[in-house]
Structure formats: structure tokens, C-alpha cells
Amino acid sequence: LLPPEMFKKIDPLEQAFYNNYWRAVSDIANVNIPKGLISPRIDPVTGDIYVVKCYCDLDENLRRSLPPLPYDLVESNTAVDIWAFGAFLFTVITGGETLFHSNIRMGSMSSIELVANWTSDVAAAVVQKFIQN
């Protein structure tokens, strides 16, 4: 489970930058990334667009020829590991409940929106909902 800083809500202009980047990765670097991994997630109810902050790790010359991404990259760090461990502990403590519920095939984007907008207040509400005492 990725931490909140790995998700970004983007607007249509940013989506164009995002799509141009991945098109260039395919065309310039001849790298084939499965569409399901990089396709923006669009909420069918609100139309909000979410992406995972990812990039293609290429050599410096190829990287300079790519268009910009609409977000800053997130360096891997211990906070990512702590987030994943916390999500795991939540599942164990609640007896199998997942921290975020989603069903993208049925059009539910609630988990992506929830993670992208995660705050300590949201965390407290989620914990109180599933953990007694």
C-alpha cells in the first residue's frame, strides 16, 4: 500500500503533461509500460483524476529529452516503510479489515481519493471506525 505522498490529484492540463511524459517514454526510450500501471484513475462520479507519482528510471541523456511530469518525485525513505507497516498492523489489529476499501471495476474510487487527501483527522476517523478501545 503506497503512502499518501505517492498519489496526486491532477487537473486536465496536468493530465496532458502526464500522458505526454509516458508517450515519450514509449517513443524515445522504447520502453513498454503496461497501460494499467500508468493510466490515470478517473472517478466516474466526480470526474477527479488521480495518478500514482511514478517515473521511468532512464539514463541521463534520455531523461533530459523527456517532457516534464506534473509533480515532484518522491524519494524512497523510511516513511514509506513505516506507512506500509502501519497499514499491515491495522489489518492485523482489526482482524482482516483493509485500511482502504476500493472497487475500481465498480467505479468506487474512494480509497484513492482518501489516501490522496490523508490527514491526521482522516486517520483518527478510520481508526475509530474499526478499532474499539
Side-chain angles (χ1 to χ4, degrees):
L1 180 63
L2 296 172
E5 59 267 22
M6 294 297 298
F7 294 89
K8 171 133 173 92
K9 180 179 176 181
I10 59 175
D11 61 38
L13 179 61
E14 291 172 317
Q15 183 181 10
F17 279 101
Y18 181 84
N19 291 338
N20 286 339
Y21 174 86
W22 289 107
R23 193 173 308 112
V25 165
S26 178
D27 295 345
I28 296 169
N30 199 27
V31 175
N32 185 19
I33 309 285
K35 294 291 183 205
L37 292 177
I38 58 172
S39 293
R41 305 293 193 249
I42 302 173
D43 188 307
V45 176
T46 65
D48 291 340
I49 308 163
Y50 294 91
V51 296
V52 175
K53 293 182 181 179
C54 56
Y55 70 103
C56 189
D57 191 19
L58 302 169
D59 70 56
E60 188 63 31
N61 291 331
L62 286 174
R63 193 175 16 233
R64 276 190 245 128
S65 64
L66 293 174
L69 283 163
Y71 49 77
D72 294 327
L73 298 177
V74 177
E75 295 281 331
S76 179
N77 58 49
T78 55
V80 172
D81 296 332
I82 292 169
W83 172 266
F85 184 65
F88 168 75
L89 283 179
F90 180 87
T91 302
V92 170
I93 291 169
T94 61
E97 287 290 334
T98 58
L99 192 53
F100 302 103
H101 298 275
S102 69
N103 187 341
I104 293 172
R105 292 180 188 187
M106 297 302 292
S108 172
M109 296 290 291
S110 62
S111 66
I112 293 173
E113 183 177 1
L114 185 63
V115 176
N117 297 302
W118 192 257
T119 65
S120 57
D121 291 338
V122 173
V126 170
V127 168
Q128 289 173 359
K129 179 179 177 182
F130 290 104
I131 299 176
Q132 304 301 317
N133 297 327

